[in-house]
Amino acid sequence: MPVFRDDVSWQHTLLQRDLPVAYLLLRLTMGFHMFAHGGVRLPILEKFASETATEFAAIRLIGLPLFPAWLVYPFSYSVSPVEFAVGVLLVLGLKTRLASIVGGVTILLLMFGNVSRVNFQVAHVMWLYVLVFVLLVAVNFADRYSLDRLTVSKTPAP
C-alpha cells in the first residue's frame, strides 16, 4: 500500500491510475451486459414485440389504453437493437457519453412501462442500471482506455 506524503499524491493516484481502471471495468461490464441483453432478443424480435403488446394491452388510464399497440410495437422492436448498439459502443469505448445517455433514457422508458404495469420488483432493479449509466456520464472524464480517447489524442489542438 503506497504511503502518501501529501494530499496531492493520493489525488494524483486516484485520478490518474485508479479511476480510469475503475471506469474501464464499469464501462466494459455494462457494455457486455447490454450487448448480450439486446443481442439474445434480436432473433426473436417479433415474438418479443407481440408478447410485450399483449402485456401492455390491459393497462388503462381513465378508461383509455395507456399503451396502444401502435405505440408498443415500434418501441418493442427498437429496444433490443438499441440495447445491442449501446453495448457495442460501451465495449469499444466509442461515443461513450452518448451511448450512456441513450442507455439511461432507454432504462427510464422501460422503468415507466414496468411501473405502469405495477411490476415494482423489476422497476427497483432498474435503478441499478440508472446508477451505472449516471456514473458513466458523470465520470466520463476518467475514460482513458477507449476509442474515444484515441480519437481525441489524434485530434490536433486548435
Side-chain angles (χ1 to χ4, degrees):
M1 175 180 267
V3 176
F4 300 112
R5 298 193 178 146
D6 56 29
D7 287 341
V8 176
S9 295
W10 75 265
Q11 291 170 353
H12 178 75
T13 301
L14 174 68
L15 293 174
Q16 298 303 316
R17 187 190 72 184
D18 298 336
L19 194 57
V21 172
Y23 189 87
L24 174 66
L25 291 172
L26 185 66
R27 193 190 84 225
L28 287 175
T29 302
M30 183 55 99
F32 281 119
H33 178 80
M34 294 297 285
F35 171 82
H37 199 265
V40 297
R41 284 195 307 217
L42 286 175
I44 58 165
L45 275 179
E46 189 172 325
K47 178 183 175 197
F48 173 71
S50 178
E51 289 173 356
T52 303
T54 301
E55 291 172 8
F56 282 93
I59 300 172
R60 303 263 188 243
L61 180 66
I62 60 170
L64 300 171
L66 184 59
F67 300 103
W70 60 265
L71 180 65
V72 175
Y73 270 98
F75 181 77
S76 297
Y77 274 106
S78 70
V79 169
S80 296
V82 167
E83 289 173 333
F84 182 79
V86 165
V88 168
L89 292 173
L90 289 177
V91 167
L92 295 174
L94 184 62
K95 302 291 181 188
T96 305
R97 185 173 182 277
L98 176 63
S100 300
I101 292 169
V102 169
V105 169
T106 302
I107 298 302
L108 168 77
L109 296 171
L110 292 170
M111 187 183 289
F112 176 71
N114 277 290
V115 169
S116 299
R117 289 179 41 224
V118 193
N119 190 351
F120 296 115
Q121 290 92 355
V122 172
H124 292 322
V125 170
M126 288 181 160
W127 273 105
L128 295 173
Y129 289 82
V130 170
L131 290 174
V132 170
F133 282 122
V134 164
L135 279 171
L136 288 172
V137 173
V139 192
N140 187 257
F141 67 88
D143 191 15
R144 182 182 299 164
Y145 307 108
S146 66
L147 289 179
D148 286 337
R149 182 65 174 218
L150 288 175
T151 57
V152 168
S153 297
K154 292 182 180 181
T155 304

